[in-house]
Amino acid sequence: MSKLLNPKVLMAIKDLNLSAKMTIDGFMSGINKSTVKGPGLEFSQYRSYQPGDDLRSLDWKMFARSDRYYIRESEVETNISVRILIDASASMNHSDGDFTKIEYARYLGASLAYLANLQGDAIGLYVLKNSGIFSMTPKQDYQHLARLFYQLENINPNGEFTKPIFYKELFAGAQKRELLIFVTDLYQTDDEIIHLLDTLNTLRHEIVVFHILSRNELDLDFKGYSTFEDLETGETIQIDQSKARTEYKNKLNAYLEDTRIKMLDRRIFYRTISTDEPLDQALRDFLKQRSKLRI
């Protein structure tokens, strides 16, 4: 694993701008920017002339060498609108070792925003809080990116998940299909997050859900603790970890499979990601889903 993509190293850097830059510089090393073929500036390939092609694209040097007409295809940068949605309910304060889910979400969100900015995309931020939704309309400039990093750094999770009455903020300003990236632990009591995704699906955007889990949640390894507290409701429960681990993992696997199917049924790209995992796969997922919205 690349040291530059190690979340324990990069989340220890409190400057999100710096940690995101280091991550993306490492990830993008040797990877070309996302492009599509068209009448741009960077050369892509030749192809045979077809009736109706723009004669200005003919390559006369190739004609002189081959006595055949070739069109010089090139590449143009693409750009889309990317909205990053961050779950800021209290369950995102769950920790495993030195880092919480929200710290990982900040790091992931900042890295995705930095990568999207490199691609020339407009980036927006939506923080789903108990009291409403903080929103930054997508823009494409460095000052906007710096403000986005500042807002990420100041997220303070608390309370339960955002109520539907506040969802209207997510509909404002949408002019065309966009890429929505939702970073959440999917903690819900009555399928409220699934209902939100159903609402977002009516916009016909491309939706990506990164389901954040900590390693101690996945393995039920809380180093001797036997009393657990629900961070959103305050309810507590006592268990014997050694006896409960097998049943817990079976139920967790069933839950994750059920969630995967729900996302698949809604044509939503879904990936679980642990807070001890590097971001390289998540960044590749972003580029893959972004390619579906090329203009």
Side-chain angles (χ1 to χ4, degrees), residues 53-273:
D53 284 336
D54 188 344
L55 295 177
R56 291 174 296 180
S57 299
L58 283 173
D59 191 294
W60 297 105
K61 291 182 180 179
M62 283 292 291
F63 173 74
R65 291 198 298 267
S66 64
D67 199 31
R68 296 183 62 184
Y69 293 111
Y70 286 96
I71 294 293
R72 182 183 176 91
E73 285 192 330
S74 57
E75 297 177 336
V76 293
E77 294 183 13
T78 65
N79 59 84
I80 62 173
S81 183
V82 178
R83 300 193 188 205
I84 300 174
L85 284 63
I86 304 291
D87 180 352
S89 58
S91 61
M92 294 291 284
N93 280 319
H94 175 82
S95 65
D96 184 3
D98 296 328
F99 303 109
T100 62
K101 290 179 181 178
I102 195 60
E103 287 174 313
Y104 192 89
R106 289 191 189 107
Y107 169 51
L108 174 57
S111 298
L112 289 169
Y114 194 94
L115 178 55
N117 186 69
L118 285 181
Q119 301 293 304
D121 299 333
I123 312 113
L125 176 66
Y126 297 78
V127 181
L128 282 72
K129 304 183 293 183
N130 182 49
S131 58
I133 297 178
F134 169 83
S135 61
M136 290 180 68
T137 303
K139 293 182 181 179
Q140 206 290 312
D141 63 67
Y142 186 77
Q143 289 75 19
H144 180 75
L145 182 64
R147 290 192 292 270
L148 186 147
F149 287 152
Y150 174 80
Q151 294 299 333
L152 281 173
E153 289 171 346
N154 286 278
I155 295 175
N156 181 29
N158 63 84
E160 298 179 348
F161 191 74
T162 311
K163 300 294 188 293
I165 191 174
F166 300 115
Y167 292 170
K168 60 182 182 295
E169 288 288 336
L170 299 173
F171 289 85
Q175 301 296 323
K176 58 183 179 180
R177 288 185 69 206
E178 299 176 336
L179 178 58
L180 304 185
I181 302 174
F182 187 21
V183 183
T184 175
D185 63 356
L186 278 175
Y187 184 88
Q188 53 188 340
T189 57
D190 193 26
D191 278 348
E192 56 268 25
I193 295 180
I194 295 297
H195 295 325
L196 168 61
L197 292 171
D198 286 337
T199 301
L200 294 175
N201 250 340
T202 64
L203 300 176
R204 304 186 65 80
H205 293 321
E206 193 71 29
I207 301 175
V208 174
V209 173
F210 288 119
H211 184 180
I212 306 297
L213 295 162
S214 64
R215 180 57 56 187
N216 55 16
E217 282 181 304
L218 290 168
D219 298 338
L220 192 62
D221 181 9
F222 289 87
K223 298 178 174 59
Y225 288 95
S226 59
T227 301
F228 298 88
E229 179 182 356
D230 186 317
L231 292 174
E232 296 190 8
T233 67
E235 295 180 9
T236 61
I237 185 174
Q238 289 190 331
I239 66 169
D240 182 332
Q241 290 187 57
S242 60
K243 294 181 179 179
R245 186 169 286 115
T246 298
E247 182 181 359
Y248 171 84
K249 287 189 174 182
N250 289 337
K251 289 185 176 180
L252 176 63
N253 290 335
Y255 159 72
L256 292 176
E257 177 62 14
D258 179 64
T259 302
R260 186 188 68 82
I261 292 172
K262 286 180 178 177
M263 299 297 175
L264 185 63
D265 288 344
R266 290 163 173 78
R267 297 184 179 180
I268 293 172
F269 183 90
Y270 168 78
R271 181 178 295 282
T272 59
I273 182 168

